[in-house]
């Protein structure tokens, strides 16, 4: 019994001694760190000045974990823990060490104010997280390469369709789009790199445009040990920019075509400019514009190289049923892009572009652009057709289809100028119908019109392709005979009189047969004869025939004098 009391008294003495160390004036009273002794409960036996916040928190039940730590300490080894407490309305972090005091149930707690350390740690963690978040927001992936040039780190989400694990350990050049890009990759930068563009290949084999910034890594000796940087995928932006540029180019081309069609008066110039503009805009080696006549495509303008004729015909055959742009590629012949043109659902032409087989293939954007061009050309073809029809109507006689007086006189000026340059003679012939008034009076104007159309048909069958033929008005016709001296004119006049006999069935009265009276004037270049003088000579000679019996051909005297007119035919009245 006395032995047990002695042991208890000894333990109590040890606890009391420890408590004195913590009491005011004791060795640990002014210790900067908290120190206290607690008994089960927990009950605070003693505490130094720095432990006031702990004592208050324990009394308020704010440290439920401290009792548990004390129990574990009594049951085994000393414990250490970092706890958050409130001191003076502010959060405080203390780092505690708990040890059993002697053999009893009291626990000695020694602490250290770790608030500053914790705040610094928290600030560091927050700073690192903030930096990480900003880097990940501002870039698609972060990377680092080692001294061997291979990836040693790639951000967790990976890059270019590859996982981070798949990229780590691989050489960056394996991502290069082609051999030219391999040597210019920023992943092994030896000097700082800022916002450079590089094209890479993603996991699916597609092209990706990256904007990269990088900095080299060196050791303490200044030796290069790798690089680290960030990359941002700008492929979508570049595609949008390219699409915008293509759209702008399309608008420029179409505006140029519209301006060309609007400003050019001559159809040939209009189509030639359209072929040139289209070929340049689409990077074609050649362009051919076709107009549709009946069921056939006829070339109207071209620029640059054109494919062989058999290839052209095969392409045009393919366009017969095509509703839009078609691409035809052959290694032997090349690459063609062709489309029909329409106006109100009616085919009126075609457009053919050409590239060599070694050039790049046609793409969808070029195909769309050609379709837009074809739409404009379809309208242009219709405008040209309307222009040609107006020209034809203004230059031809509506009844016979021959040249009218105005057009004939304009053409006559040009022919006389050409004859002066070539020093060749030519003949102007005036033709008038005999007894035509009786046809109109007795058989009606419809019969008269039929007689005039028959005269036009007979004259067309008589003249040569390069001669001119016109209806001057009423029953008067005129001819320009190229390379025709007086001998040739005389022979031609005899043929005309013979041809005129074909009009006899159309006569209104057998006593007054329908026939031709012809007056001719031979134009000799170099004598200074004016157009008006030549016309007056031919017209006067024709009226001389009418006055002296009709049904004959006379040749006017030369403009500078000469023999009087002599009959070319004595056909009678």
């Amino acid at each position: 019994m006395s032995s047990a009391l002695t042991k208890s008294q000894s333990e109590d003495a040890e606890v009391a001694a420890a408590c004195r160390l913590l009491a005011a004036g004791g060795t640990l009273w002014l210790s900067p760190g908290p120190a206290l002794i607690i008994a089960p409960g927990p009950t605070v036996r003693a505490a130094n000045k720095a432990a006031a916040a702990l004592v208050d928190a324990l009394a308020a039940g704010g440290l439920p974990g401290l009792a548990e730590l004390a129990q574990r300490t009594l049951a085994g080894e000393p414990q250490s823990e970092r706890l958050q407490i409130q001191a003076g309305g502010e959060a405080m972090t203390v780092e505690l060490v708990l040890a059993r005091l002697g053999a009893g149930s009291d626990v000695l707690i020694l602490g250290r104010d770790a608030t500053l350390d914790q705040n610094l740690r928290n600030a560091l963690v927050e700073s690192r997280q903030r930096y990480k978040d900003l880097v990940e927001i501002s870039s698609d992936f972060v990377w680092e390469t080692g001294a061997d040039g291979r990836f040693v780190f790639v951000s967790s989400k990976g890059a270019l369709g590859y996982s981070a694990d798949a990229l780590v350990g691989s050489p960056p050049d394996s991502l290069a789009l082609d051999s030219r890009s391999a040597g210019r990759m920023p992943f092994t930068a030896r000097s700082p790199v800022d916002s450079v563009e590089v094209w890479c290949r993603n996991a699916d084999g597609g092209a990706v445009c990256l904007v990269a910034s990088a900095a080299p890594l060196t050791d303490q000796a200044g030796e290069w040990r790798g690089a680290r940087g960030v990359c941002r995928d700008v492929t979508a932006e570049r595609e949008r920019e390219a699409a915008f540029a293509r759209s702008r180019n399309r608008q420029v081309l179409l505006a140029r075509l519209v301006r060309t069609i609007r400003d050019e008066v001559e159809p040939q110039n209009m189509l030639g400019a359209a072929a040139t503009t289209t070929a340049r805009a689409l990077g074609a080696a050649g362009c051919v514009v076709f107009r549709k006549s009946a069921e056939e495509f006829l070339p109207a303008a071209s620029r640059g190289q054109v494919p062989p004729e058999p290839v052209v015909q095969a392409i045009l055959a393919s366009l017969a049923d095509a509703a839009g742009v078609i691409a035809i590629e052959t290694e032997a012949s090349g690459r063609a892009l062709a489309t029909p043109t329409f106006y109100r659902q009616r085919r009126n032409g075609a457009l053919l572009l050409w590239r060599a087989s070694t050039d790049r293939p046609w793409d969808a954007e070029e195909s769309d652009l050609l379709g837009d061009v074809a739409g404009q050309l379809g309208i242009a073809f219709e405008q040209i057709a309307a222009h040609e029809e107006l020209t034809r109507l203004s230059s031809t006689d509506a009844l016979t289809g021959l040249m009218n007086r105005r057009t004939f006189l304009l053409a006559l000026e040009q022919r006389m100028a050409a004859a002066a340059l070539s020093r060749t003679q030519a003949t102007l012939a005036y033709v008038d119908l005999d007894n035509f008034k009786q046809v109109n009076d007795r058989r009606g104007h419809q019969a008269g019109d039929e007689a005039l159309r028959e005269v036009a048909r007979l004259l067309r069958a008589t003249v040569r392709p390069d001669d001119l033929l016109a209806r001057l008005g009423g029953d008067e016709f005129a001819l320009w005979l190229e390379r025709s001296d007086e001998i040739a004119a005389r022979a031609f006049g005899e043929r005309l009189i013979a041809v005129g006999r074909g009009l006899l069935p159309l006569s209104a009265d057998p006593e007054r047969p329908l026939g031709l009276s012809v007056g001719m004037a031979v134009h000799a270049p170099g004598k200074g004869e004016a157009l008006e003088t030549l016309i007056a000579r031919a017209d006067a000679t024709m009226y001389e025939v009418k006055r002296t019996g009709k049904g004959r051909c006379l040749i006017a005297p030369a403009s500078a004098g000469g023999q009087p007119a002599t009959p070319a035919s004595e056909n009678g009245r």
Side-chain angles (χ1 to χ4, degrees):
M1 182 70 170
S2 64
S3 176
L5 289 174
T6 302
K7 182 178 180 182
S8 174
Q9 291 173 352
S10 175
E11 291 173 354
D12 290 343
E14 185 178 347
V15 170
C19 289
R20 285 194 296 272
L21 292 175
L22 299 178
T27 305
L28 297 179
W29 172 250
L30 296 178
S31 173
L36 68 160
I37 299 171
I38 62 173
T43 302
V44 177
R45 289 186 179 276
N48 68 353
K49 185 177 182 180
L54 274 175
V55 172
D56 292 342
L58 189 62
L63 294 175
L66 187 61
E68 183 180 347
L69 284 173
Q71 290 295 327
R72 290 205 301 266
T73 303
L74 293 173
E77 299 294 328
Q79 302 290 315
S80 65
E81 188 66 62
R82 178 171 290 192
L83 297 178
Q84 291 280 344
I85 64 173
Q86 291 294 322
E90 295 183 359
M92 177 180 179
T93 302
V94 291
E95 201 171 70
L96 303 176
V97 176
L98 291 81
R100 186 173 186 171
L101 190 60
S105 57
D106 294 299
V107 175
L108 174 63
I109 301 175
L110 298 177
R112 182 178 69 87
D113 187 350
T115 304
L116 179 60
D117 291 348
Q118 186 63 41
N119 288 344
L120 289 175
R121 185 189 299 272
N122 291 342
L124 178 60
V125 170
E126 182 180 356
S127 176
R128 288 169 60 90
Q129 185 62 42
R130 181 184 299 114
Y131 177 76
K132 179 177 180 293
D133 292 342
L134 290 174
V135 168
E136 291 185 351
I137 290 171
S138 63
S139 62
D140 288 294
F141 68 98
V142 185
W143 52 268
E144 184 175 325
T145 53
D148 60 356
R150 296 175 178 268
F151 286 114
V152 296
F153 169 78
V154 175
S155 51
S156 59
K157 60 184 177 182
L160 304 175
Y162 297 96
S163 67
D165 290 341
L167 289 176
V168 171
S170 65
D173 281 351
S174 63
L175 302 176
L177 186 62
D178 51 42
S179 58
R180 292 176 299 175
S181 302
R184 301 197 298 259
M185 303 291 277
F187 303 105
T188 53
R190 301 294 178 124
S191 58
V193 172
D194 183 30
S195 300
V196 298
E197 284 192 10
V198 58
W199 283 89
C200 297
R201 191 179 303 279
N202 63 17
D204 296 330
V208 177
C209 184
L210 299 177
V211 171
S213 296
L217 301 176
T218 58
D219 58 18
Q220 293 182 347
E223 295 293 328
W224 185 83
R225 305 302 298 170
R228 67 166 60 107
V230 296
C231 286
R232 185 166 58 91
D233 185 348
V234 295
T235 308
E237 296 175 28
R238 296 299 175 264
E239 288 176 348
R240 285 194 296 271
E241 292 170 359
F244 177 78
R246 289 192 296 267
S247 176
R248 185 175 181 279
N249 289 338
R250 178 185 298 187
Q251 292 174 358
V252 169
L253 172 59
L254 293 179
R256 189 176 299 148
L257 278 175
V258 171
R259 188 167 58 251
T260 298
I261 293 170
R262 181 194 64 199
D263 295 343
E264 285 288 353
V265 177
E266 288 297 325
Q268 190 61 36
N269 293 342
M270 180 192 301
L271 297 180
T276 300
T277 301
T278 303
R280 287 176 178 171
L282 276 79
C287 177
V288 186
V289 178
F290 297 89
R291 291 183 64 187
K292 199 167 188 294
S293 175
E295 297 302 318
E296 185 179 9
F297 288 108
L298 299 177
S302 64
R303 191 259 183 189
Q305 302 175 7
V306 295
E309 184 61 23
V311 176
V312 172
Q313 294 305 319
I315 295 171
L316 293 177
S318 301
L319 290 178
D321 299 321
V325 179
I326 61 173
I328 301 175
E329 300 187 8
T330 61
E331 292 185 2
S333 300
R335 308 179 190 275
L337 194 66
T339 181
T341 63
F342 296 87
Y343 183 77
R344 294 182 177 176
Q345 288 76 52
R346 177 177 57 83
R347 293 172 194 269
N348 60 1
L351 190 58
L352 168 63
L353 294 179
W354 186 254
R355 278 180 185 160
S357 56
T358 55
D359 291 341
R360 61 180 176 83
W362 301 102
D363 58 31
E365 180 65 25
E366 291 167 332
S367 179
D368 292 343
L369 180 53
L370 185 62
D372 291 341
V373 172
Q376 295 297 325
L377 276 182
I379 298 172
F381 285 146
E382 197 65 21
Q383 292 176 343
I384 290 171
H387 172 79
E388 291 174 343
E389 179 63 14
L390 288 174
T391 301
R392 186 189 68 79
L393 292 174
S394 66
S395 62
T396 60
D397 173 60
L399 179 63
T400 62
L402 302 180
M403 283 185 183
N404 59 24
R405 176 186 290 272
R406 183 182 65 84
T407 306
F408 179 74
L409 294 178
L410 290 174
L412 200 56
E413 289 183 355
Q414 298 173 355
R415 293 298 181 95
M416 288 183 67
L421 291 175
S422 62
R423 312 292 292 181
T424 57
Q425 291 184 326
T427 298
L428 175 65
Y430 266 41
V431 178
D432 189 84
L433 266 66
D434 298 332
N435 303 312
F436 178 68
K437 185 175 183 301
Q438 283 74 20
V439 175
N440 275 334
D441 291 345
R442 296 187 182 186
R443 299 181 58 187
H445 287 284
Q446 186 173 354
D449 290 347
E450 180 60 31
L452 292 174
R453 283 192 288 267
E454 180 62 15
V455 172
R457 188 189 68 79
L458 293 174
L459 293 179
R460 280 197 191 95
T462 306
V463 298
R464 298 165 297 182
D466 56 348
D467 294 335
L468 298 180
L469 176 59
R471 181 191 176 198
L472 301 181
D475 59 348
E476 290 188 6
F477 296 81
L479 302 89
W480 172 265
L481 308 175
E482 288 285 352
R483 302 176 303 280
S484 177
D485 56 14
E486 186 170 340
I487 295 174
R490 191 180 301 277
F492 185 82
E494 292 176 353
R495 288 200 302 276
L496 277 183
I497 298 303
V499 164
R501 297 191 187 101
L503 300 173
L504 289 174
L506 302 178
S507 302
D509 184 352
E511 297 297 323
R512 294 185 175 184
L514 198 61
L516 301 178
S517 290
V518 182
M520 292 183 168
V522 178
H523 174 63
K527 294 188 177 182
E529 182 178 25
L531 174 61
E532 293 78 8
T533 304
L534 178 65
I535 292 174
R537 288 199 298 126
D539 190 39
T541 303
M542 185 269 292
Y543 276 103
E544 177 66 17
V545 173
K546 300 283 286 186
R547 188 180 64 80
T548 58
K550 304 178 183 180
R552 299 182 299 154
C553 177
L554 287 180
I555 298 178
S559 61
Q563 299 298 318
T566 55
S569 173
E570 296 293 340
N571 190 45
R573 299 181 183 182

